[in-house]
C-alpha cells in the first residue's frame, strides 16, 4: 500500500513506544508490505507485541536474498554468512590446491542439515550457481518453510532427525555438509532476547548442557556421508569452538577453526585427515 507520511509516523510512534529501536525503518517496511490500512494496523500490533519483524512480514533478508520465514521458524542470522561463505568456497573448489587436477565437482552435492528455513543451503546454491541441494530438519514447521525456499532453487527437503531422512544414495557423496544446529547451552536460553526465547522454538536453540550435544551427534556420523574430499562445516560460537572441534576430531576428521570478527561468527571445518592439508 502507499501509506502517507502521517500513517507511517503514527506506526513508528506505536513501535517506538513498544521499544522498537529502529521504529522508523520498521514502520516504512511494514507500510510497504501491508496491502491495506487494516493489514498495516494488524502488522504493527503484532510487532508491538514482540513478534520478530521477520515473522511479521514473512521473510528475512539473508546474503542479499529474501528468504521466507514462517512464525515459529528460526530467523536466519547475519553471522551465518560465514558458514555460507565457507560452504560456497568448498563447493566452487576454490580451496583445492591449484594445478593438481582441480577435481572440482561439476554439480557438488550440498547437504544443509538442521536447515530451518533452508537459508544456508539456498544461499550457497545461489552463490555457487548450481548444486544438488538436500536439506533436512526435525521440525515440521521448518520443513514446510524450507520447502518454499529450497524448491525455488531446485533442491529437496526431508523431515526427520539429523541424517535419518536423507536418501541413502547420498552416503559417501556429500561435498559440503553445512550445519547450523542449535548450540545454545540449555541454561542460557533464559538469558536470550525475548524475540528468540519466546518466538523461536526450543528445538531451534537448545544445544544441551554445554551447547554442543548436536554437534557431537553430527560429527559422529558425518564421515560416512562425506565424499572423499568432502567437508563438514559447523557453525558454533568462539567460546564453544574448541568443544565443537574436539567432537569433530573424535570422529576421526581433522578440525580447523575459522572465524570472522566483523560478523562475530565462528565455523569449525572437518575434513578427512588424508585430505585436510590439501583442503586448506
Ligand atoms: C539454530 S536453527 C538454524 C536453522 C538454519 N540452519 C539457519 O541457520 O537459519 C537450528 C535448526 O535445527 C533444527 N533441529 C534441531 N534438532 C534437530 C535434529 N535432531 N535433527 C534435525 N534438525 C534439528 C531445528 O528445528 C532448527 O530449525
Amino acid at each position: 500500500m502507499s501509506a502517507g507520511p502521517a500513517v507511517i509516523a503514527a506506526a513508528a510512534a506505536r513501535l517506538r513506544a513498544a521499544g522498537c529501536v529502529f521504529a522508523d525503518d520498521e514502520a516504512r517496511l511494514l507500510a510497504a508490505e501491508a496491502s491495506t490500512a487494516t493489514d498495516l494496523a494488524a502488522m504493527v500490533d503484532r510487532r508491538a507485541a514482540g513478534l520478530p519483524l521477520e515473522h511479521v512480514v514473512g521473510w528475512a533478508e539473508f546474503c542479499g536474498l529474501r528468504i521466507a520465514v514462517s512464525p515459529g521458524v528460526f530467523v536466519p542470522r547475519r553471522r551465518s554468512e560465514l558458514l555460507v561463505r565457507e560452504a560456497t568456497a568448498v563447493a566452487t573448489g576454490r580451496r583445492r590446491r591449484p594445478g593438481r587436477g582441480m577435481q572440482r565437482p561439476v554439480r557438488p552435492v550440498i547437504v544443509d542439515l538442521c536447515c530451518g528455513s533452508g537459508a544456508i543451503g539456498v544461499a550457497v546454491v545461489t552463490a555457487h550457481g548450481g548444486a544438488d541441494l538436500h536439506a533436512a530438519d526435525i521440525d515440521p514447521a521448518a520443513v514446510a518453510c524450507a520447502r518454499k525456499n529450497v524448491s525455488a532453487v531446485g533442491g529437496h527437503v526431508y523431515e526427520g532427525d539429523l541424517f535419518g531422512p536423507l536418501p541413502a544414495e547420498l552416503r559417501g557423496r556429500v561435498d559440503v555438509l553445512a550445519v547450523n544446529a542449535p548450540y545454545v547451552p540449555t541454561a542460557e536460553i533464559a538469558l536470550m532476547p525475548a524475540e528468540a526465547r519466546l518466538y523461536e522454538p526450543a528445538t531451534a536453540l537448545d544445544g544441551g548442557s554445554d551447547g554442543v550435544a548436536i554437534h557431537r551427534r553430527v560429527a559422529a556420523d558425518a564421515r560416512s556421508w562425506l565424499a572423499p574430499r568432502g567437508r563438514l562445516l559447523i557453525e558454533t560460537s568462539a567460546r564453544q569452538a574448541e568443544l565443537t572441534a574436539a567432537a569433530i576430531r573424535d570422529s576421526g576428521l581433522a578440525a580447523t577453526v575459522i572465524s570472522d570478527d566483523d560478523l562475530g561468527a565462528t565455523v569449525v571445518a572437518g575434513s578427512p585427515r588424508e585430505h585436510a592439508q590439501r583442503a586448506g
Side-chain angles (χ1 to χ4, degrees), residues 73-111:
V73 175
F74 185 85
V75 176
R77 308 295 206 258
R78 179 143 189 266
R79 62 176 168 267
S80 298
E81 288 182 14
L82 176 62
L83 179 59
V84 170
R85 204 162 73 209
E86 291 300 314
T88 305
V90 176
T92 57
R94 264 188 273 138
R95 287 181 166 263
R96 304 264 162 88
R97 202 161 66 164
R100 278 296 215 106
M102 292 302 288
Q103 295 164 35
R104 166 184 158 174
V106 174
R107 192 171 150 77
V109 175
I110 296 172
V111 170

Side-chain angles (χ1 to χ4, degrees), residues 197-235:
R197 196 166 27 84
L198 302 179
Y199 297 102
E200 292 178 322
T203 26
L205 307 172
D206 192 345
S209 62
D210 64 0
V212 300
I214 297 181
H215 295 176
R216 289 192 186 93
R217 290 184 57 213
V218 169
D221 283 346
R223 261 180 97 174
S224 66
W225 292 89
L226 288 178
R229 289 168 189 275
R231 190 85 61 96
L232 166 65
L233 296 164
I234 302 183
E235 177 174 316

